[in-house]
Amino acid sequence: MNLITNLYSALAQGTLWGIMALGVYITFRILDIADLSCDGTFALGGCISAVCITRGMSPILALLIALAGGMIAGWVTGILHTKLMIPAILAGILTMIALWSVNIRIMGGPNLSLLGEDTTFTMMIQNLGLNQTLATLVVGVLIGIIVIAVMYWFFGTEIGSALRATGNNEYMVRALGGNTDTSKVIGLVISNGLISLSGALVAQNQGYGDIKMGTGAIVIGLASIVIGEVVFGNRFNFAYILASLIGGSIIYRMIISLVLHLGLSTDDMKLFTAIIVALALGIPAIKAKYSQRRIPA
């Protein structure tokens, strides 16, 4: 029963972290950019959300402000990359380092408790009579559906199509007169906005904001993406692919919950996550080599 309870909780938590996976997907898969600002942006969302709530703001408004804060951070990364010609991976690192100090300034310290404060989840518990886990699941699913619907619509527009084309063939887009720098900045803005929103949700759910809460977030996001792609595949339409990312996040959380239940130390979780990502990324190559060997000469 304890394992079932843990897996149920992991299911709910996976929906919140799945929002971050959607943000990472925009840069990692669509734009083909390694944006390492994710760790700082995730914590930024949690810090902004915690401060807003402790100052009497509505939890929903706190989520929107956290979303805006993440978008600003993404804009900074985009400007560093496109205007100052700093490599994308280094631009992300610079933003991530800067956000460490920014997050401390925002909270006035390394962490901030939300004990006794109203959050999006306590509102669901009070108004609908749900328990903590079910409230987490409901909020995560609802926001996930909204985000997927908006992303599906946006990437079907002219701007969204240009963004996708930039990731596929940047030089061709430039040859056709498109502004790839603008597309990159827009992609980074949307990506980091979603990552910050996920951080805000996680902070409200766990009851505190902390500058270290984003540590390893990029690896978790990548793990969710590759697990979703391996398990669900890139079939059907774009909305299915986006939904599979949240599914990958849920599976990842369940795997983590299972191995912790089996006795793995929490100190080994980073190593375990790295192994999962490496295996998931290597499976397609292994399958391709195996298939080539089976083809008769």
Side-chain angles (χ1 to χ4, degrees):
M1 288 299 295
N2 188 34
L3 176 60
I4 294 175
T5 302
N6 291 339
L7 291 177
Y8 180 44
S9 178
L11 168 65
Q13 288 287 329
T15 60
L16 303 183
W17 287 84
I19 308 299
M20 182 197 65
L22 292 171
V24 175
Y25 179 81
I26 294 175
T27 52
F28 182 66
R29 284 289 189 237
I30 296 180
L31 280 178
D32 195 22
I33 290 177
D35 178 24
L36 297 186
S37 62
C38 175
D39 290 18
T41 310
F42 187 86
L44 175 66
C47 296
I48 291 176
S49 178
V51 170
C52 289
I53 290 175
T54 54
R55 293 187 178 181
M57 293 187 185
S58 164
I60 305 298
L61 180 59
L63 294 178
L64 296 177
I65 295 176
L67 173 66
M71 295 175 77
I72 293 173
W75 178 80
V76 172
T77 302
I79 294 300
L80 291 175
H81 174 50
T82 60
K83 301 304 180 184
L84 301 184
M85 305 305 293
I86 298 175
I89 188 170
L90 182 55
I93 292 174
L94 291 175
T95 303
M96 177 183 66
I97 293 173
L99 285 175
W100 178 273
S101 298
V102 171
N103 291 337
I104 292 180
R105 286 286 185 178
I106 290 174
M107 292 192 300
N111 51 63
L112 183 63
S113 175
L114 292 175
L115 185 64
E117 302 286 349
D118 287 333
T119 66
T120 306
F121 304 96
T122 58
M123 290 171 60
M124 295 289 290
I125 294 172
Q126 294 169 1
N127 295 330
L128 300 180
L130 307 177
N131 58 40
Q132 178 68 29
T133 303
L134 186 55
T136 302
L137 181 61
V138 170
V139 172
V141 170
L142 287 177
I143 295 181
I145 290 174
I146 293 172
V147 171
I148 289 174
V150 173
M151 288 180 65
Y152 182 77
W153 166 81
F154 172 77
F155 284 104
T157 63
E158 183 176 347
I159 297 176
S161 297
L163 197 154
R164 296 171 72 176
T166 298
N168 287 331
N169 194 327
E170 179 179 348
Y171 301 103
M172 180 61 71
V173 173
R174 288 180 179 177
L176 294 174
N179 191 328
T180 56
D181 285 350
T182 300
S183 295
K184 289 179 180 179
V185 172
I186 292 174
L188 287 166
V189 166
I190 298 174
S191 170
N192 283 275
L194 293 178
I195 293 169
S196 182
L197 175 62
S198 177
L201 287 167
V202 171
Q204 290 190 25
N205 183 254
Q206 65 188 13
Y208 64 90
D210 191 284
I211 59 172
K212 295 181 180 180
M213 62 184 292
T215 303
I218 182 63
V219 179
I220 296 173
L222 293 176
S224 302
I225 292 172
V226 295
I227 289 174
E229 290 176 344
V230 170
V231 173
F232 300 101
N234 293 323
R235 56 176 71 93
F236 305 121
N237 58 16
F238 187 57
Y240 173 85
I241 295 175
L242 296 177
S244 71
L245 302 180
I246 295 183
S249 175
I250 292 173
I251 294 174
Y252 169 79
R253 282 287 150 189
M254 286 186 168
I255 293 174
I256 295 299
S257 179
L258 178 61
V259 296
L260 287 176
H261 180 78
L262 295 176
L264 183 68
S265 172
T266 54
D267 295 331
D268 299 326
M269 293 313 300
K270 293 290 188 296
L271 174 62
F272 182 76
T273 300
I275 293 174
I276 290 178
V277 175
L279 289 175
L281 288 172
I283 286 176
I286 295 173
K287 285 184 176 180
K289 290 183 178 180
Y290 181 73
S291 300
Q292 291 177 356
R293 291 180 180 178
R294 295 187 60 184
I295 298 176

